[in-house]
Every structure is written in structure tokens, then in C-alpha cells.
């Protein structure tokens, strides 16, 4: 993969180096010319071209013409109110004095609205370039422009500049002056030979000089005057048109500027980045593709580039070189193909050698495999057995040759004669090993797993059998199945016993609570001496102890019975609307009394509003009572307990119970919710309880889709958050009613 990218980079470097050296220019120029022919556009109709055409030369009868004739033309143009006049005529040499004076007068009358041609040419006598300009008497009344046109390497006039060197400075070109940009346009540009000149105004020199042209045609428009007759020799080789008069080439260059079609090429580094990106993207997309797909992507990519170049040149004055894209992409594709072909050839050779080694290796593996490997023909006759098969069946390789596989199968009804091939195919159709009872040479039976695969080699059908001795495993499985049945039976008996225990406790609710109610009730009568004095104050204390112990036992029994009912799915919700605020207010009043008896500071906040919720008020009360009882139990004298109810905006309700008690270690918080579980730190010795309070509270709240959460730190107290969902809210009591 790395070599592919290196090859692409190398192709790009070679292509771009050739481009920088100009080696691709002969290929690119015809494509640029073709795009100009395809993308034609009309010329700007403003400038008028007055031609010194063959008819004008014929009517005058000689060349060079007397300068008074040019003066006559200028006077005609001045009288018609023409704009700037551009004369592409050489006035650098003296002629007859009267003729020169006549032309000078005509130029003066135009008051500087005339442009004369200057040029730089090679002088054989001087051995250098010399600058030729109109005579000074003419130049005083005119503006000078350069009419030089420098051919490209192929000899064609392709480019023009905004200005050319002239003596000690720069002189605007004829085309730049005609387009009105003067020396403001810097650098060279390509002439757009796709501009159609058929719609411009062309006039014959002799027609204008003789006054045969409507002056309105000339009024206010720039005028270009130059020779178009072939016999005058001012002919230049150009793309697409083969040859054009020099003045027409200058006119086309000016039109390129006027129409914003002064074509320029992309900078080299921009083009280089585009070419490299195109090649690398195309190579990335075509990697690991089918050859036809890769070729289609290559051709499609180049079609897009060529079409994009045409569209870019049509929309903007920009020439995009397409030859570097095509050469680089095809070069990279060729390199990639050659590398892929080389890789495939190398891979084939490697695979052939590897296959030979693999065959030798597989033969050795088959011979030394742990499982028995047996090959048979279509009739089940054994042709090969490995060492493991000989060891498994207790025979030698020579003894196994030619025997039928049915001789080694105990239950061979389906492995006899004509049924053997069908039996093999049934095993293959299973898609998994088939368990068989096989026979060793000494008559011993054993369990085995067999898998079968079919191989057709040189029109010969073979069956390959893989046989594994699983006798020990089968016997172990049977022992495990027997043990599993025993465990399942024991589990069922334990479940029945647990169910009986649960049902017993649930059914014993009345039998357990009734005596306790009697004990608590009679001890309370004795404690208060409702039926008369007991005779000794000690009896009163004993009666109080009896009542307290009975009350604790009653609570413990109640918790156990509630838990038993939950375990037996005996708790059913009595879903009714109840006043949560009223319930919390009663709980707060009761808790205030208990805190006062124990010497605890108590704070309570219950909002002065009604809140109706649907649920079992008894179970909610029990859940709150368990949480509050724990707060009182585990908060030492002088501590603080806070109780609050918050009615949330979403309809849910949150009850918070916070104490400054002994706290619970973080790792033991979850154990507090387990049945009969309590936090450690010796609480079992100093505080009584069944360990079911929080367990029951969570179960009761879960029946209402509520939650309970504990936050605690040792020595800093515990905070309990109880939440009832908004789905249980029924609004205010008035709304509920």
C-alpha cells in the first residue's frame, strides 16, 4: 500500500517537472484552441474597424499612399465627431514636405484625439533592437502606443501584454489603449480567439475618405485604422484562423480586454496542488476495485476535468491545463496496475509454494491428529486411516485398508450396503456431529461423535470422516444428569418448605397478635391502675416493662408478618385518594411528642396546602413510620430531627427525614434495605429491631412506583429521601372531589 502512494507521488513529480519545463505545452495548446472554438461569443460592437482593404489599395493605385490621403480620412472622422482614432500605420519615415505638413495639420485639428503606432524591431546594421516612433511633428499632436506582438514557441501570436518596454520606460500596447486600460493592465494575457468579429462595424478606407459613410455611424465611437489587404504584408500567424492581419489581431486583443476575456493560466503551484490532489483522490477511490470499475473511474475523472476546464474557461477568463491531470492520472493508474499485477504474480507464486507446504503440513497434521481421521470411497470402503484411528479401533493401517466402515459401527442398520452413502449425507445435513456407538477390534463398545464432509477429486467421490472418542464424556454427563435431578428434587423440596413457612406465618397472624394485644392492653391497665392500686410502686414499673416489651414484640411480629405477606404476594394495594399533607401533619405531631419524650430537638415543615394522592394510605403511613422510628432510635439525647414535605412543580412529592444520629458507613447503606439486615458498628447490642423496617418501607413505596434513598456519614447523621411519582398525584382535595 505504501509503494502505491510513493509511485503516485513520483508520477506527479515527473509530470509537474515536465510541465514547469514547458514540455507539455505542445500538447496543451491545441486543447486551449479547441476550447476557444467551442466557446464563441460576440464582440463588443463599439469600436469601428476602418480597413485598408484590397478595394482601397486598388482605387488609390499605389502604396505607400500620400499622407494627405490619411489627413483627409482624419478630417472626415473629425467632422463626423468620431471618438479616439487609432492608426496602425507606420509614420516613422519622412515623405514629401507638403504631404507631411498636411498630415500634421490634420493631427493638430484633432487636438490629441489620435493614437499613433510605435514599435520595437531588430536592426541588422545596429545588431540590436531599435525603437521606431512616428516623426516628432506627428507625435506632438498624438498619443503613442506599442503595436509589437511577440509570437509563442510555436510561432503563433497567442499572448499580448498591457505594455511593452520602450526606450527608458514602458509604452501601453495598442490593444490596452483601445480597451481603455492604458498602462493600468500589467502582465501578459492570452487573446481569446473565440470572439466572433462578424458582428462588428467594418468600413473601407476609401468609402470613409470619399464621404460615402453616414457620419452618424462614426459619431462618438472609437475608430481603428489599419491594413487588412494581404498584399500589404501585415499578416500574422494565429490559432484557429491560421493568419490574420496585424490590426485584426490588435483588435481581438482589445476585445479580450473589453469583454473581460483576457485569459490567464492558473499559477503553477495552484495547478500542481490540484493535479496532486486529483491523482491521490482518484487512486484512493479506485484502490482494491475491480479493473473495469477502476478504468471507468479513471476515464470519468478525466472527463470531469476536461468538462470542468471548458466550463471554467467559459465562465471565467481562466485557462486550466488538462494535460497534466490526464498524464499524471494515467501514469499513476499504469504504475498502480503494474504494481498490482506484480503483487498478484508474486502472490500466486507465494500461494503455490505455500499450498505445497500446506499440503505436506496437513498430511502431517492428519496423521498425528488427536481425533480419528478416516477416508472412504462412495461405497464406504476405507482408503485411509490416521494413527489416532488405528489407536481408537485397535487395528493397523494395513488391516483397515478395504474394510467397510459398517464393520466398526455397533448399530449398523443405517450403515449397511446401499444405505451408507445416504447415512453420510444425513450426517452432513445435520450441520453438527452425530453421536454413534462404535466397536473396537476387540469387541468393546464406546460412544463417538462423527462429522462427515464430501470431496470430489478427479471424478472420484470421497467421504472424509472425523471421529472423536467421547465415551468418558458421555458417562460423566450421565452422572451429572443424575446429580442434577437430585439437586432439582432437593430444590423443589426446599421451595415447598419455604412456601409452607410463609403460609404458616401469614396464617398465624391472628394467633400471634391476639395474645400480644392482650398482654399490652392488660399491662397498660395495670400500669395506670385503672381498676385500683396494685399495692406497690414496683408493680407499676413491672407493668410498664411488660407493656414496652410486648409493644416491641408486637412491632417485630407485625414486621415479620408484613414481610411474609409480601413474600407470599399477599399484599394488595387499596388504591384510594388520600390527603398526603394531612397524613404528614399527623406523623409530624406524633413524632414531636416522641422526640420530646426522648429529649430531641424536632423541626417540621408541612406546606399549608392540600395534596391528594392515589394509593394505600396505610402502607404509606407504615413506610413513613419505619423511617421516623429509625431516626428516633439512632439519634442520641440532645440530637436533632427534621421532617419536611415538598410538593414539586411536576406533581411529584418528596418527604425528607434528616437526623443528627450516629450515621451509617457508606459501604453498609445498601445492606440496610436487605431483609433482616442492619448496619454494623455494634448496633445489634445497643438497639433492638428485626432489621425489616427499611426493607418494608422500600417494598411499600415500590408498590406505589415510589423510591427511597439514604445519604449518611458516620458521626454526622442520616438523610432519607422518599419520593412519590407525579403519576400518583390527584391535585388538590377539591379537584379530587
Amino acid at each position: 500500500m505504501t509503494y502505491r502512494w510513493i509511485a503516485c507521488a513520483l508520477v506527479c513529480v515527473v509530470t509537474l517537472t515536465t510541465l514547469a519545463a514547458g514540455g507539455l505545452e505542445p500538447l496543451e495548446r491545441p486543447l486551449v484552441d479547441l476550447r476557444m472554438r467551442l466557446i464563441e461569443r460576440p464582440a463588443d460592437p463599439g469600436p469601428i474597424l476602418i480597413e485598408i482593404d484590397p478595394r482601397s489599395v486598388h482605387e488609390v493605385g499605389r502604396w505607400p499612399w500620400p499622407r494627405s490621403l490619411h489627413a483627409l480620412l482624419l478630417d472626415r472622422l473629425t467632422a463626423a465627431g468620431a471618438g479616439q482614432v487609432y492608426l496602425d500605420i507606420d509614420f516613422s519615415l519622412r515623405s514629401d514636405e507638403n504631404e507631411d505638413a498636411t498630415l500634421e495639420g490634420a493631427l493638430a485639428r484633432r487636438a490629441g484625439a489620435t493614437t499613433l503606432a510605435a514599435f520595437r524591431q531588430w536592426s541588422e546594421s545596429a545588431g540590436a533592437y531599435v525603437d521606431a516612433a512616428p516623426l516628432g511633428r506627428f507625435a506632438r499632436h498624438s498619443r503613442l502606443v506599442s503595436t509589437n506582438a511577440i509570437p509563442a514557441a510555436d510561432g503563433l501570436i497567442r499572448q499580448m501584454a498591457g505594455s511593452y518596454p520602450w526606450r527608458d520606460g514602458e509604452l501601453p500596447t495598442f490593444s490596452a489603449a483601445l480597451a481603455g486600460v492604458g498602462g493600468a493592465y500589467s502582465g501578459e494575457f492570452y487573446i481569446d480567439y473565440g470572439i466572433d468579429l462578424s458582428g462588428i462595424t467594418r468600413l473601407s478606407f476609401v468609402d470613409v475618405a470619399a464621404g460615402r459613410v453616414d457620419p452618424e455611424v462614426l459619431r462618438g465611437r472609437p475608430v481603428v485604422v489599419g491594413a487588412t489587404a494581404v498584399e500589404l504584408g501585415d499578416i500574422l500567424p494565429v490559432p484557429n484562423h491560421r493568419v490574420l492581419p496585424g490590426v485584426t489581431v490588435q483588435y481581438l486583443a482589445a476585445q479580450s480586454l473589453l469583454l473581460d476575456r483576457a485569459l490567464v493560466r492558473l499559477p503553477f503551484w495552484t495547478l500542481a496542488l490540484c493535479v496532486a490532489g486529483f491523482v491521490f483522490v482518484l487512486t484512493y477511490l479506485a484502490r482494491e476495485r475491480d479493473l473495469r470499475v477502476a478504468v471507468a473511474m479513471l476515464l470519468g475523472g478525466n472527463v470531469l476535468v476536461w468538462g470542468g476546464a471548458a466550463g471554467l474557461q467559459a465562465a471565467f477568463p481562466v485557462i486550466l491545463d488538462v494535460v497534466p491531470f490526464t498524464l499524471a492520472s494515467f501514469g499513476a493508474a499504469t504504475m498502480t496496475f503494474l504494481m498490482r499485477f506484480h503483487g498478484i504474480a508474486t502472490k500466486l507464486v507465494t500461494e503455490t509454494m505455500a499450498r505445497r507446504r500446506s499440503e505436506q503440513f496437513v498430511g502431517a497434521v492428519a496423521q498425528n491428529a488427536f481425533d480419528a481421521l478416516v477416508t472412504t470411497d462412495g461405497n464406504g470402503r476405507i482408503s485411509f486411516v490416521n494413527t489416532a484411528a488405528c489407536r481408537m479401533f485397535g487395528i493397523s493401517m494395513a488391516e483397515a485398508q478395504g474394510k467397510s466402515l459398517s464393520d466398526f459401527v455397533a448399530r449398523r442398520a443405517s450403515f449397511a450396503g446401499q444405505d451408507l452413502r445416504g447415512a453420510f449425507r444425513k450426517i452432513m445435513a445435520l450441520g453438527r456431529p452425530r453421536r454413534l456407538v462404535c466397536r473396537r477390534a476387540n469387541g468393546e463398545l464406546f460412544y463417538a461423535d462423527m462429522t462427515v464432509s464430501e470431496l470430489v477429486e478427479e471424478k472420484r467421490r470421497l467421504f472424509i470422516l472425523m471421529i472423536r472418542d467421547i465415551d468418558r464424556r458421555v458417562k460423566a454427563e450421565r452422572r451429572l444428569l443424575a446429580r442434577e435431578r437430585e439437586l432439582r428434587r432437593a430444590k423443589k423440596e426446599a421451595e415447598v418448605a419455604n412456601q409452607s413457612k410463609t403460609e404458616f406465618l401469614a396464617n398465624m397472624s391472628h394467633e400471634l397478635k391476639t395474645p400480644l394485644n392482650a398482654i399490652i392492653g392488660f399491662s397498660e391497665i395495670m400500669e395506670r391502675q385503672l381498676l385500683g392500686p396494685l399495692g406497690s410502686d414496683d408493680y407499676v414499673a413491672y407493668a410498664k416493662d411488660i407493656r414496652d416489651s410486648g409493644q416491641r414484640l408486637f412491632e417485630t411480629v407485625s414486621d415479620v408478618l408484613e414481610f411474609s405477606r409480601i413474600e407470599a404476594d399477599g399484599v394488595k394495594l387499596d388504591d384510594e385518594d388520600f390527603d398526603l399533607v394531612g397524613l404528614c401533619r399527623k406523623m409530624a405531631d406524633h413524632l414531636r411528642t416522641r422526640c420530646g419524650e426522648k429529649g430531641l430537638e424536632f423541626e417540621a415543615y408541612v406546606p399549608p396546602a392540600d395534596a391528594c394522592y392515589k394509593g394505600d394510605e396505610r402502607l404509606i403511613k407504615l413506610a413513613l413510620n419505619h423511617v421516623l422510628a429509625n431516626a428516633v432510635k439512632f439519634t442520641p439525647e440532645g440530637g436533632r430531627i427534621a421532617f419536611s414535605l415538598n410538593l414539586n412543580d411536576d406533581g411529584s412529592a418528596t418527604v425528607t427525614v434528616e437526623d443528627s444520629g450516629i450515621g451509617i458507613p457508606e459501604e453498609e447503606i445498601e445492606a440496610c434495605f436487605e431483609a433482616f439486615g442492619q448496619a454494623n458498628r455494634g448496633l445489634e447490642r445497643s438497639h433492638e429491631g428485626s432489621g425489616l423496617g427499611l426493607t418494608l418501607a422500600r417494598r411499600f413505596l415500590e408498590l406505589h412506583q415510589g423510591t427511597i434513598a439514604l445519604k449518611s456519614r458516620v458521626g454526622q447523621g442520616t438523610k432519607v429521601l422518599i419520593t412519590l411519582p407525579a403519576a400518583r398525584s390527584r391535585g388538590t382535595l377539591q379537584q379530587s372531589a
Side-chain angles (χ1 to χ4, degrees):
M1 185 64 69
T2 303
Y3 293 118
R4 175 185 300 171
W5 300 118
I6 293 175
C8 290
L10 182 61
V11 169
C12 289
V13 169
V14 172
T15 303
L16 295 173
T17 302
T18 307
L19 173 66
L24 303 183
E25 195 64 23
L27 300 175
E28 193 67 49
R29 289 191 190 112
L31 299 176
V32 176
D33 298 342
L34 175 62
R35 291 198 292 271
M36 289 183 185
R37 286 198 298 271
L38 295 176
I39 309 168
E40 288 191 349
R41 64 190 68 235
D44 187 322
I48 297 174
L49 179 59
I50 297 178
E51 301 176 291
I52 303 177
D53 54 0
R55 186 164 66 88
S56 300
V57 173
H58 178 71
E59 287 189 14
V60 174
R62 64 189 177 90
W63 184 265
W65 288 344
R67 288 177 176 170
S68 58
L69 186 59
H70 297 298
L72 176 61
L73 175 72
L74 289 175
D75 287 337
R76 293 286 189 188
L77 294 175
T78 304
Q84 188 77 21
V85 176
Y86 301 86
L87 295 176
D88 187 9
I89 301 172
D90 182 11
F91 293 125
S92 62
L93 300 177
R94 287 186 176 87
S95 67
D96 182 79
E97 177 61 28
N98 292 330
E99 294 290 329
D100 288 347
T102 302
L103 178 59
E104 181 181 4
L107 291 172
R109 286 188 290 276
R110 288 199 53 78
T114 308
T115 300
L116 299 181
F119 51 90
R120 171 174 286 187
Q121 61 184 4
W122 179 261
S123 173
E124 293 291 343
S125 59
Y129 284 101
V130 295
D131 294 322
L135 296 175
R137 63 193 302 178
F138 303 150
R140 284 196 300 271
H141 309 289
S142 308
R143 185 174 58 169
L144 298 184
V145 293
S146 174
T147 57
N148 283 104
I150 301 174
D154 59 351
L156 304 183
I157 304 300
R158 295 180 174 275
Q159 291 176 278
M160 191 66 69
S163 61
Y164 282 129
W166 174 260
R167 294 178 180 173
D168 295 330
E170 297 279 335
L171 194 65
T173 60
F174 191 97
S175 56
L178 178 58
V181 297
Y185 190 91
S186 60
E188 294 184 332
F189 62 91
Y190 285 83
I191 302 171
D192 188 355
Y193 286 100
I195 297 174
D196 184 12
L197 298 180
S198 61
I200 66 172
T201 303
R202 294 173 179 265
L203 302 174
S204 178
F205 187 101
V206 293
D207 289 340
V208 178
R212 295 194 290 264
V213 175
D214 184 1
E216 291 299 323
V217 175
L218 301 168
R219 191 174 307 281
R221 297 171 67 181
V223 176
V224 178
V225 182
T228 60
V230 176
E231 54 266 34
L232 298 183
D234 188 14
I235 302 298
L236 299 176
V238 295
N240 296 342
H241 304 281
R242 300 186 65 181
V243 294
L244 284 176
V247 68
T248 305
V249 174
Q250 296 287 353
Y251 190 89
L252 268 174
Q255 287 285 342
S256 299
L257 291 170
L258 285 170
L259 298 175
D260 195 22
R261 295 298 300 168
L263 300 172
V264 294
R265 290 177 120 153
L266 284 180
F268 174 77
W269 288 112
T270 302
L271 182 63
L273 291 175
C274 292
V275 170
F278 174 75
V279 170
F280 278 91
V281 168
L282 201 60
T283 304
Y284 176 79
L285 294 176
R287 73 192 192 286
E288 309 302 333
R289 301 275 186 177
D290 182 75
L291 181 60
R292 288 173 294 181
V293 176
V295 171
M297 294 179 68
L298 176 64
L299 295 177
N302 279 276
V303 168
L304 288 176
V305 170
W306 285 48
L312 183 65
Q313 189 168 322
F316 304 98
V318 175
I319 296 175
L320 175 64
D321 294 77
V322 297
V323 172
F325 288 91
T326 301
L327 289 182
S329 59
F330 275 89
T334 302
M335 292 287 288
T336 302
F337 173 76
L338 292 176
M339 293 176 65
R340 183 184 293 185
F341 178 79
H342 179 268
I344 292 173
T346 304
K347 185 178 180 180
L348 287 175
V349 173
T350 304
E351 286 180 351
T352 302
M353 297 179 63
R355 185 166 59 252
R356 291 180 180 176
R357 289 195 299 267
S358 177
E359 289 173 354
Q360 297 174 355
F361 177 75
V362 169
V365 170
Q367 194 60 250
N368 297 281
F370 174 78
D371 292 330
L373 183 64
V374 180
T375 61
T376 71
D377 60 15
N379 297 319
R381 295 291 173 181
I382 297 175
S383 58
F384 170 81
V385 291
N386 67 350
T387 304
C390 295
R391 187 169 54 249
M392 181 182 296
F393 292 103
I395 57 174
S396 65
M397 294 184 186
E399 293 172 341
Q401 292 287 335
K403 285 195 174 184
S404 174
L405 181 70
S406 60
D407 296 339
F408 299 97
V409 179
R411 301 171 186 170
R412 49 185 182 175
S414 60
F415 285 86
Q418 300 299 324
D419 294 332
L420 189 61
R421 185 177 302 177
F424 285 160
R425 290 191 171 146
K426 285 181 181 179
I427 295 175
M428 287 191 292
L430 286 175
R432 55 182 176 81
R434 178 178 172 182
R435 183 169 295 181
L436 302 172
V437 178
C438 297
R439 178 186 290 110
R440 306 188 201 277
N442 60 7
E444 178 186 353
L445 300 179
F446 65 97
Y447 287 97
D449 275 348
M450 177 187 290
T451 57
V452 181
S453 58
E454 189 175 6
L455 176 66
V456 178
E457 186 180 49
E458 297 179 357
K459 299 183 180 180
R460 189 170 58 128
R461 190 176 302 278
L462 296 177
F463 289 100
I464 303 172
L465 315 178
M466 188 72 72
I467 305 171
R468 174 171 293 181
D469 187 344
I470 59 169
D471 195 58
R472 292 184 180 179
R473 191 181 76 190
V474 171
K475 292 176 180 177
E477 287 176 354
R478 291 185 173 181
R479 289 194 296 270
L480 287 174
L481 286 174
R483 178 60 178 164
E484 183 180 352
R485 285 193 294 271
E486 293 177 3
L487 291 174
R488 193 177 291 114
R489 184 172 58 254
K491 180 176 179 291
K492 186 174 181 180
E493 291 174 355
E495 289 175 349
V496 171
N498 183 61
Q499 182 67 22
S500 299
K501 177 264 297 179
T502 302
E503 291 176 357
F504 169 77
L505 289 174
N507 294 331
M508 289 297 293
S509 172
H510 177 73
E511 284 74 8
L512 290 172
K513 285 187 175 181
T514 300
L516 285 173
N517 283 330
I519 293 171
I520 294 169
F522 289 140
S523 60
E524 186 176 3
I525 292 173
M526 295 172 65
E527 179 187 358
R528 297 183 181 181
Q529 303 182 66
L530 298 178
L531 301 180
L534 297 178
S536 174
D537 292 339
D538 291 338
Y539 292 151
V540 176
Y542 295 156
K544 182 177 182 304
D545 291 340
I546 293 171
R547 182 175 66 82
D548 291 343
S549 298
Q551 185 65 39
R552 285 197 299 273
L553 183 57
F554 180 82
E555 293 173 356
T556 301
V557 169
S558 297
D559 290 347
V560 172
L561 293 175
E562 288 288 352
F563 182 74
S564 299
R565 278 197 292 273
I566 291 174
E567 289 290 302
D569 294 330
V571 177
K572 303 297 181 184
L573 281 183
D574 186 10
D575 264 339
E576 292 182 355
D577 293 347
F578 68 95
D579 181 8
L580 180 62
V581 174
L583 174 62
C584 289
R585 191 172 288 117
K586 291 177 183 178
M587 299 295 292
D589 292 340
H590 179 66
L591 185 61
R592 183 177 286 105
T593 302
R594 294 178 63 184
C595 288
E597 293 175 354
K598 192 174 178 181
L600 301 176
E601 180 183 346
F602 177 71
E603 296 177 4
Y605 171 75
V606 179
D610 294 330
C612 184
Y613 282 76
K614 186 175 183 179
D616 193 326
E617 183 176 7
R618 181 183 71 86
L619 296 184
I620 297 297
K621 181 178 180 181
L622 285 174
L624 292 175
N625 191 54
H626 283 306
V627 174
L628 294 172
N630 280 348
V632 174
K633 182 191 299 183
F634 296 111
T635 303
E637 185 177 354
R640 182 183 65 85
I641 296 177
F643 175 82
S644 65
L645 168 65
N646 291 317
L647 302 176
N648 303 318
D649 293 338
D650 61 356
S652 63
T654 304
V655 178
T656 305
V657 179
E658 187 171 5
D659 64 64
S660 60
I662 60 177
I664 306 170
E666 184 177 355
E667 64 274 10
E668 297 178 8
I669 288 178
E670 192 59 32
C672 295
F673 291 104
E674 297 176 0
F676 306 106
Q678 293 180 334
N680 292 327
R681 300 178 57 83
L683 299 182
E684 294 85 350
R685 296 184 179 180
S686 58
H687 299 89
E688 298 83 357
S690 63
L692 290 172
L694 291 178
T695 304
L696 292 172
R698 172 182 274 184
R699 298 289 179 88
F700 294 156
L701 290 168
E702 287 175 348
L703 290 173
H704 292 79
Q705 297 83 45
T707 60
I708 180 171
L710 264 68
K711 296 180 181 179
S712 183
R713 295 185 66 180
V714 176
Q716 296 185 17
T718 302
K719 183 177 183 180
V720 183
L721 297 173
I722 297 173
T723 303
L724 285 177
R728 288 277 171 179
S729 175
R730 292 295 182 270
T732 64
L733 292 176
Q734 291 80 0
Q735 291 174 341
S736 176

